[in-house]
Short mmCIF file of all heavy atoms in Angstrom, two decimals:
data_model
loop_
_atom_site.label_atom_id
_atom_site.label_comp_id
_atom_site.label_asym_id
_atom_site.label_seq_id
_atom_site.Cartn_x
_atom_site.Cartn_y
_atom_site.Cartn_z
N VAL K 1 13.76 -3.30 -7.75
CA VAL K 1 12.47 -2.64 -7.95
C VAL K 1 11.42 -3.38 -7.14
O VAL K 1 11.39 -4.61 -7.12
CB VAL K 1 12.09 -2.60 -9.44
CG1 VAL K 1 10.61 -2.25 -9.62
CG2 VAL K 1 12.97 -1.59 -10.19
N VAL K 2 10.57 -2.61 -6.48
CA VAL K 2 9.46 -3.18 -5.71
C VAL K 2 8.15 -2.86 -6.43
O VAL K 2 7.91 -1.71 -6.81
CB VAL K 2 9.42 -2.62 -4.28
CG1 VAL K 2 8.21 -3.18 -3.51
CG2 VAL K 2 10.71 -2.94 -3.54
N GLY K 3 7.34 -3.89 -6.63
CA GLY K 3 6.04 -3.70 -7.26
C GLY K 3 4.93 -3.72 -6.22
O GLY K 3 4.82 -4.68 -5.45
N PHE K 4 4.12 -2.66 -6.19
CA PHE K 4 3.05 -2.52 -5.20
C PHE K 4 1.68 -2.72 -5.85
O PHE K 4 1.46 -2.32 -7.00
CB PHE K 4 3.08 -1.12 -4.57
CG PHE K 4 4.26 -0.86 -3.69
CD1 PHE K 4 5.38 -0.19 -4.19
CD2 PHE K 4 4.28 -1.27 -2.37
CE1 PHE K 4 6.48 0.08 -3.38
CE2 PHE K 4 5.36 -1.01 -1.54
CZ PHE K 4 6.47 -0.34 -2.05
N ASP K 5 0.79 -3.31 -5.09
CA ASP K 5 -0.60 -3.45 -5.51
C ASP K 5 -1.32 -2.13 -5.26
O ASP K 5 -1.55 -1.75 -4.11
CB ASP K 5 -1.26 -4.59 -4.72
CG ASP K 5 -2.74 -4.76 -5.04
OD1 ASP K 5 -3.24 -4.08 -5.96
OD2 ASP K 5 -3.38 -5.59 -4.37
N SER K 6 -1.68 -1.44 -6.33
CA SER K 6 -2.28 -0.11 -6.17
C SER K 6 -3.67 -0.16 -5.54
O SER K 6 -4.19 0.87 -5.10
CB SER K 6 -2.37 0.59 -7.53
OG SER K 6 -3.27 -0.09 -8.39
N ASP K 7 -4.29 -1.33 -5.52
CA ASP K 7 -5.61 -1.45 -4.91
C ASP K 7 -5.55 -1.67 -3.40
O ASP K 7 -6.59 -1.70 -2.73
CB ASP K 7 -6.38 -2.62 -5.55
CG ASP K 7 -6.75 -2.33 -7.00
OD1 ASP K 7 -7.03 -1.16 -7.32
OD2 ASP K 7 -6.72 -3.28 -7.81
N HIS K 8 -4.35 -1.84 -2.86
CA HIS K 8 -4.23 -2.06 -1.42
C HIS K 8 -4.64 -0.79 -0.67
O HIS K 8 -4.44 0.33 -1.16
CB HIS K 8 -2.79 -2.44 -1.07
CG HIS K 8 -2.63 -2.96 0.32
ND1 HIS K 8 -2.55 -2.12 1.42
CD2 HIS K 8 -2.58 -4.22 0.82
CE1 HIS K 8 -2.42 -2.84 2.50
NE2 HIS K 8 -2.45 -4.12 2.17
N SER K 9 -5.17 -0.97 0.52
CA SER K 9 -5.66 0.16 1.31
C SER K 9 -4.58 1.19 1.64
O SER K 9 -4.88 2.36 1.91
CB SER K 9 -6.31 -0.34 2.60
OG SER K 9 -5.38 -1.08 3.37
N PHE K 10 -3.30 0.77 1.61
CA PHE K 10 -2.22 1.72 1.87
C PHE K 10 -2.25 2.87 0.88
O PHE K 10 -1.86 4.00 1.20
CB PHE K 10 -0.87 1.00 1.80
CG PHE K 10 0.33 1.91 2.01
CD1 PHE K 10 0.67 2.35 3.27
CD2 PHE K 10 1.10 2.32 0.93
CE1 PHE K 10 1.77 3.18 3.47
CE2 PHE K 10 2.20 3.16 1.12
CZ PHE K 10 2.54 3.58 2.40
N PHE K 11 -2.72 2.62 -0.33
CA PHE K 11 -2.76 3.63 -1.38
C PHE K 11 -4.14 4.26 -1.51
O PHE K 11 -4.39 4.99 -2.48
CB PHE K 11 -2.33 3.02 -2.72
CG PHE K 11 -0.94 2.48 -2.70
CD1 PHE K 11 -0.71 1.10 -2.63
CD2 PHE K 11 0.16 3.32 -2.72
CE1 PHE K 11 0.58 0.60 -2.60
CE2 PHE K 11 1.46 2.82 -2.69
CZ PHE K 11 1.66 1.45 -2.63
N ASN K 12 -5.01 3.97 -0.57
CA ASN K 12 -6.37 4.49 -0.63
C ASN K 12 -6.80 4.95 0.76
O ASN K 12 -7.64 4.34 1.41
CB ASN K 12 -7.33 3.41 -1.16
CG ASN K 12 -7.01 2.99 -2.58
OD1 ASN K 12 -7.43 3.63 -3.53
ND2 ASN K 12 -6.24 1.93 -2.73
N GLN K 13 -6.20 6.03 1.22
CA GLN K 13 -6.46 6.54 2.57
C GLN K 13 -7.15 7.90 2.55
O GLN K 13 -7.10 8.64 3.53
CB GLN K 13 -5.15 6.60 3.36
CG GLN K 13 -4.46 5.25 3.49
CD GLN K 13 -3.25 5.32 4.40
OE1 GLN K 13 -3.32 5.87 5.50
NE2 GLN K 13 -2.13 4.76 3.95
N ARG K 14 -7.79 8.20 1.46
CA ARG K 14 -8.52 9.46 1.34
C ARG K 14 -9.71 9.45 2.30
O ARG K 14 -10.50 8.51 2.32
CB ARG K 14 -9.01 9.63 -0.09
CG ARG K 14 -9.45 11.03 -0.46
CD ARG K 14 -9.81 11.08 -1.93
NE ARG K 14 -9.93 12.45 -2.40
CZ ARG K 14 -10.25 12.76 -3.66
NH1 ARG K 14 -10.46 11.80 -4.54
NH2 ARG K 14 -10.33 14.03 -4.02
N ARG K 15 -9.84 10.49 3.10
CA ARG K 15 -10.90 10.53 4.12
C ARG K 15 -12.22 11.03 3.56
O ARG K 15 -13.29 10.56 3.93
CB ARG K 15 -10.46 11.41 5.29
CG ARG K 15 -9.21 10.89 6.01
CD ARG K 15 -8.75 11.86 7.09
NE ARG K 15 -7.57 11.37 7.79
CZ ARG K 15 -6.33 11.59 7.41
NH1 ARG K 15 -6.08 12.30 6.31
NH2 ARG K 15 -5.30 11.11 8.10
N THR K 16 -12.16 12.01 2.65
CA THR K 16 -13.36 12.57 2.02
C THR K 16 -13.06 12.85 0.56
O THR K 16 -11.89 12.81 0.13
CB THR K 16 -13.80 13.88 2.69
OG1 THR K 16 -12.82 14.90 2.42
CG2 THR K 16 -13.96 13.70 4.20
N GLU K 17 -14.08 13.16 -0.22
CA GLU K 17 -13.89 13.50 -1.62
C GLU K 17 -13.08 14.77 -1.80
O GLU K 17 -12.47 14.99 -2.84
CB GLU K 17 -15.26 13.65 -2.31
CG GLU K 17 -15.98 12.35 -2.54
CD GLU K 17 -15.21 11.41 -3.46
OE1 GLU K 17 -14.69 11.88 -4.48
OE2 GLU K 17 -15.14 10.21 -3.14
N GLN K 18 -13.07 15.61 -0.77
CA GLN K 18 -12.31 16.87 -0.84
C GLN K 18 -10.86 16.71 -0.39
O GLN K 18 -10.05 17.61 -0.58
CB GLN K 18 -13.00 17.94 0.02
CG GLN K 18 -14.34 18.43 -0.53
CD GLN K 18 -15.45 17.42 -0.40
OE1 GLN K 18 -15.56 16.75 0.63
NE2 GLN K 18 -16.26 17.28 -1.43
N ASP K 19 -10.54 15.57 0.18
CA ASP K 19 -9.20 15.33 0.70
C ASP K 19 -8.21 15.19 -0.46
O ASP K 19 -8.41 14.38 -1.36
CB ASP K 19 -9.21 14.05 1.54
CG ASP K 19 -7.92 13.88 2.36
OD1 ASP K 19 -6.99 14.67 2.16
OD2 ASP K 19 -7.88 12.95 3.19
N GLU K 20 -7.14 15.98 -0.45
CA GLU K 20 -6.14 15.94 -1.52
C GLU K 20 -5.01 14.96 -1.22
O GLU K 20 -4.11 14.79 -2.04
CB GLU K 20 -5.55 17.34 -1.74
CG GLU K 20 -6.52 18.34 -2.33
CD GLU K 20 -6.84 18.07 -3.79
OE1 GLU K 20 -6.18 17.21 -4.40
OE2 GLU K 20 -7.77 18.71 -4.31
N PHE K 21 -5.04 14.32 -0.06
CA PHE K 21 -3.92 13.49 0.36
C PHE K 21 -4.34 12.04 0.57
O PHE K 21 -5.49 11.73 0.83
CB PHE K 21 -3.31 14.05 1.66
CG PHE K 21 -3.03 15.52 1.61
CD1 PHE K 21 -3.61 16.39 2.52
CD2 PHE K 21 -2.21 16.04 0.62
CE1 PHE K 21 -3.36 17.76 2.46
CE2 PHE K 21 -1.95 17.40 0.55
CZ PHE K 21 -2.53 18.26 1.47
N GLY K 22 -3.33 11.14 0.46
CA GLY K 22 -3.56 9.75 0.83
C GLY K 22 -4.11 8.87 -0.26
O GLY K 22 -4.55 7.75 0.03
N PHE K 23 -4.09 9.31 -1.52
CA PHE K 23 -4.58 8.46 -2.60
C PHE K 23 -3.72 8.65 -3.84
O PHE K 23 -3.06 9.67 -4.01
CB PHE K 23 -6.05 8.76 -2.92
CG PHE K 23 -6.27 10.11 -3.56
CD1 PHE K 23 -6.43 10.23 -4.93
CD2 PHE K 23 -6.33 11.27 -2.79
CE1 PHE K 23 -6.62 11.46 -5.52
CE2 PHE K 23 -6.53 12.52 -3.37
CZ PHE K 23 -6.68 12.61 -4.74
N LEU K 24 -3.73 7.65 -4.70
CA LEU K 24 -2.93 7.69 -5.91
C LEU K 24 -3.56 8.61 -6.96
O LEU K 24 -4.77 8.64 -7.13
CB LEU K 24 -2.78 6.29 -6.50
CG LEU K 24 -1.81 5.36 -5.78
CD1 LEU K 24 -2.03 3.92 -6.21
CD2 LEU K 24 -0.36 5.78 -6.05
N ARG K 25 -2.69 9.33 -7.66
CA ARG K 25 -3.15 10.13 -8.80
C ARG K 25 -2.13 9.99 -9.93
O ARG K 25 -0.92 9.91 -9.70
CB ARG K 25 -3.35 11.58 -8.40
CG ARG K 25 -2.12 12.29 -7.94
CD ARG K 25 -2.45 13.71 -7.52
NE ARG K 25 -2.83 13.81 -6.13
CZ ARG K 25 -3.74 14.66 -5.68
NH1 ARG K 25 -4.36 15.48 -6.48
NH2 ARG K 25 -4.03 14.71 -4.39
N ARG K 26 -2.64 9.96 -11.13
CA ARG K 26 -1.76 9.83 -12.30
C ARG K 26 -1.17 11.18 -12.66
O ARG K 26 -1.85 12.21 -12.64
CB ARG K 26 -2.56 9.28 -13.49
CG ARG K 26 -1.72 9.02 -14.74
CD ARG K 26 -2.56 8.38 -15.81
NE ARG K 26 -3.70 9.23 -16.15
CZ ARG K 26 -4.76 8.81 -16.84
NH1 ARG K 26 -4.84 7.56 -17.23
NH2 ARG K 26 -5.74 9.65 -17.12
N VAL K 27 0.09 11.20 -13.00
CA VAL K 27 0.77 12.43 -13.39
C VAL K 27 0.41 12.77 -14.84
O VAL K 27 0.37 11.90 -15.71
CB VAL K 27 2.30 12.28 -13.23
CG1 VAL K 27 3.04 13.44 -13.89
CG2 VAL K 27 2.66 12.19 -11.76
N ASN K 28 0.14 14.05 -15.07
CA ASN K 28 -0.11 14.56 -16.42
C ASN K 28 1.16 15.21 -16.95
O ASN K 28 1.79 16.02 -16.25
CB ASN K 28 -1.25 15.59 -16.40
CG ASN K 28 -2.55 14.99 -15.93
OD1 ASN K 28 -2.89 13.87 -16.30
ND2 ASN K 28 -3.29 15.73 -15.12
N TYR K 29 1.53 14.86 -18.17
CA TYR K 29 2.73 15.42 -18.78
C TYR K 29 2.32 16.48 -19.79
O TYR K 29 1.56 16.20 -20.73
CB TYR K 29 3.54 14.30 -19.44
CG TYR K 29 4.00 13.27 -18.43
CD1 TYR K 29 3.30 12.08 -18.24
CD2 TYR K 29 5.10 13.51 -17.62
CE1 TYR K 29 3.71 11.16 -17.30
CE2 TYR K 29 5.51 12.60 -16.67
CZ TYR K 29 4.81 11.42 -16.51
OH TYR K 29 5.22 10.52 -15.57
N VAL K 30 2.78 17.70 -19.56
CA VAL K 30 2.30 18.84 -20.32
C VAL K 30 3.46 19.60 -20.95
O VAL K 30 4.61 19.53 -20.50
CB VAL K 30 1.48 19.79 -19.42
CG1 VAL K 30 0.23 19.08 -18.92
CG2 VAL K 30 2.30 20.29 -18.24
N VAL K 31 3.16 20.34 -22.02
CA VAL K 31 4.17 21.14 -22.72
C VAL K 31 4.33 22.49 -22.04
O VAL K 31 5.45 22.98 -21.85
CB VAL K 31 3.76 21.31 -24.20
CG1 VAL K 31 4.74 22.27 -24.90
CG2 VAL K 31 3.72 19.97 -24.91
N ARG K 32 3.22 23.09 -21.64
CA ARG K 32 3.22 24.43 -21.08
C ARG K 32 3.12 24.38 -19.56
O ARG K 32 2.34 23.61 -19.01
CB ARG K 32 2.04 25.23 -21.65
CG ARG K 32 2.02 26.70 -21.29
CD ARG K 32 0.96 27.40 -22.13
NE ARG K 32 0.91 28.84 -21.85
CZ ARG K 32 -0.03 29.41 -21.12
NH1 ARG K 32 -1.00 28.68 -20.59
NH2 ARG K 32 -0.04 30.72 -20.93
N ARG K 33 3.91 25.15 -18.89
CA ARG K 33 3.86 25.21 -17.44
C ARG K 33 2.47 25.65 -16.99
O ARG K 33 1.97 26.67 -17.46
CB ARG K 33 4.92 26.18 -16.92
CG ARG K 33 5.15 26.12 -15.41
CD ARG K 33 6.37 26.93 -15.05
NE ARG K 33 6.69 26.86 -13.64
CZ ARG K 33 7.78 27.42 -13.09
NH1 ARG K 33 8.62 28.09 -13.86
NH2 ARG K 33 8.01 27.29 -11.80
N PRO K 34 1.83 24.92 -16.09
CA PRO K 34 0.47 25.25 -15.68
C PRO K 34 0.39 26.63 -15.03
O PRO K 34 1.29 27.05 -14.32
CB PRO K 34 0.12 24.16 -14.68
CG PRO K 34 1.05 23.04 -14.99
CD PRO K 34 2.31 23.68 -15.47
N ARG K 35 -0.73 27.31 -15.30
CA ARG K 35 -1.04 28.59 -14.67
C ARG K 35 -2.10 28.35 -13.61
O ARG K 35 -3.08 27.65 -13.87
CB ARG K 35 -1.60 29.57 -15.69
CG ARG K 35 -0.57 30.46 -16.38
CD ARG K 35 0.37 29.75 -17.27
NE ARG K 35 1.22 30.69 -17.99
CZ ARG K 35 2.37 30.38 -18.54
NH1 ARG K 35 2.84 29.14 -18.46
NH2 ARG K 35 3.08 31.28 -19.19
N VAL K 36 -1.92 28.93 -12.44
CA VAL K 36 -2.91 28.74 -11.39
C VAL K 36 -3.27 30.07 -10.75
O VAL K 36 -2.49 31.02 -10.77
CB VAL K 36 -2.42 27.77 -10.28
CG1 VAL K 36 -2.07 26.42 -10.86
CG2 VAL K 36 -1.24 28.36 -9.53
N VAL K 37 -4.48 30.11 -10.21
CA VAL K 37 -4.93 31.21 -9.36
C VAL K 37 -4.81 30.70 -7.93
O VAL K 37 -5.34 29.65 -7.59
CB VAL K 37 -6.37 31.61 -9.69
CG1 VAL K 37 -6.86 32.69 -8.73
CG2 VAL K 37 -6.46 32.10 -11.13
N LEU K 38 -4.09 31.44 -7.10
CA LEU K 38 -3.73 30.96 -5.77
C LEU K 38 -4.95 30.59 -4.93
O LEU K 38 -4.91 29.63 -4.17
CB LEU K 38 -2.91 32.03 -5.05
CG LEU K 38 -2.22 31.61 -3.75
CD1 LEU K 38 -1.29 30.44 -3.99
CD2 LEU K 38 -1.45 32.79 -3.17
N SER K 39 -6.02 31.32 -5.09
CA SER K 39 -7.21 31.06 -4.28
C SER K 39 -7.95 29.80 -4.70
O SER K 39 -8.81 29.31 -3.97
CB SER K 39 -8.17 32.26 -4.34
OG SER K 39 -8.60 32.47 -5.68
N ASP K 40 -7.62 29.26 -5.88
CA ASP K 40 -8.30 28.04 -6.37
C ASP K 40 -7.59 26.82 -5.80
O ASP K 40 -6.75 26.20 -6.45
CB ASP K 40 -8.30 28.01 -7.89
CG ASP K 40 -9.03 26.79 -8.45
OD1 ASP K 40 -9.70 26.10 -7.65
OD2 ASP K 40 -8.91 26.53 -9.65
N THR K 41 -7.92 26.46 -4.59
CA THR K 41 -7.25 25.35 -3.91
C THR K 41 -7.67 23.98 -4.46
O THR K 41 -7.08 22.97 -4.11
CB THR K 41 -7.53 25.39 -2.41
OG1 THR K 41 -8.95 25.37 -2.20
CG2 THR K 41 -6.95 26.64 -1.78
N SER K 42 -8.70 23.96 -5.32
CA SER K 42 -9.16 22.68 -5.86
C SER K 42 -8.35 22.23 -7.07
O SER K 42 -8.51 21.12 -7.55
CB SER K 42 -10.63 22.78 -6.26
OG SER K 42 -10.80 23.72 -7.33
N SER K 43 -7.46 23.10 -7.56
CA SER K 43 -6.72 22.78 -8.78
C SER K 43 -5.73 21.64 -8.55
O SER K 43 -4.89 21.71 -7.65
CB SER K 43 -5.96 24.02 -9.27
OG SER K 43 -5.18 23.69 -10.39
N PRO K 44 -5.78 20.56 -9.37
CA PRO K 44 -4.87 19.43 -9.18
C PRO K 44 -3.47 19.64 -9.76
O PRO K 44 -2.60 18.80 -9.55
CB PRO K 44 -5.58 18.30 -9.94
CG PRO K 44 -6.31 19.01 -11.05
CD PRO K 44 -6.73 20.33 -10.47
N VAL K 45 -3.24 20.74 -10.47
CA VAL K 45 -1.96 20.91 -11.14
C VAL K 45 -0.80 21.03 -10.16
O VAL K 45 0.35 20.78 -10.51
CB VAL K 45 -1.96 22.12 -12.10
CG1 VAL K 45 -2.98 21.93 -13.20
CG2 VAL K 45 -2.21 23.41 -11.35
N TRP K 46 -1.09 21.44 -8.92
CA TRP K 46 -0.03 21.51 -7.92
C TRP K 46 0.63 20.15 -7.74
O TRP K 46 1.83 20.05 -7.54
CB TRP K 46 -0.61 21.94 -6.57
CG TRP K 46 -1.01 23.38 -6.50
CD1 TRP K 46 -2.26 23.88 -6.75
CD2 TRP K 46 -0.19 24.50 -6.20
NE1 TRP K 46 -2.25 25.25 -6.59
CE2 TRP K 46 -0.99 25.65 -6.25
CE3 TRP K 46 1.17 24.63 -5.86
CZ2 TRP K 46 -0.50 26.92 -5.99
CZ3 TRP K 46 1.65 25.90 -5.59
CH2 TRP K 46 0.84 27.02 -5.67
#
């Protein structure tokens, strides 16, 4: 097992607040399968 420092810049490469890539996010564990509207690209459930 390899332990990584989550504060290292490798895990913080988000370019803007709207950028969905390049940063750590915690997984949410849910009972019901999430429902999404396709046009809502801001939804994090994907």
Side-chain angles (χ1 to χ4, degrees):
V1 165
V2 177
F4 292 96
D5 177 5
S6 66
D7 292 325
H8 192 279
S9 59
F10 178 76
F11 299 104
N12 297 275
Q13 301 186 48
R14 196 176 194 180
R15 298 175 180 88
T16 68
E17 287 298 316
Q18 290 72 42
D19 192 352
E20 291 289 351
F21 310 122
F23 69 99
L24 285 165
R25 62 182 88 215
R26 184 175 59 195
V27 169
N28 298 319
Y29 298 98
V30 296
V31 174
R32 187 169 181 256
R33 191 170 183 175
R35 268 67 174 159
V36 301
V37 176
L38 191 58
S39 61
D40 182 11
T41 56
S42 64
S43 176
V45 298
W46 288 94

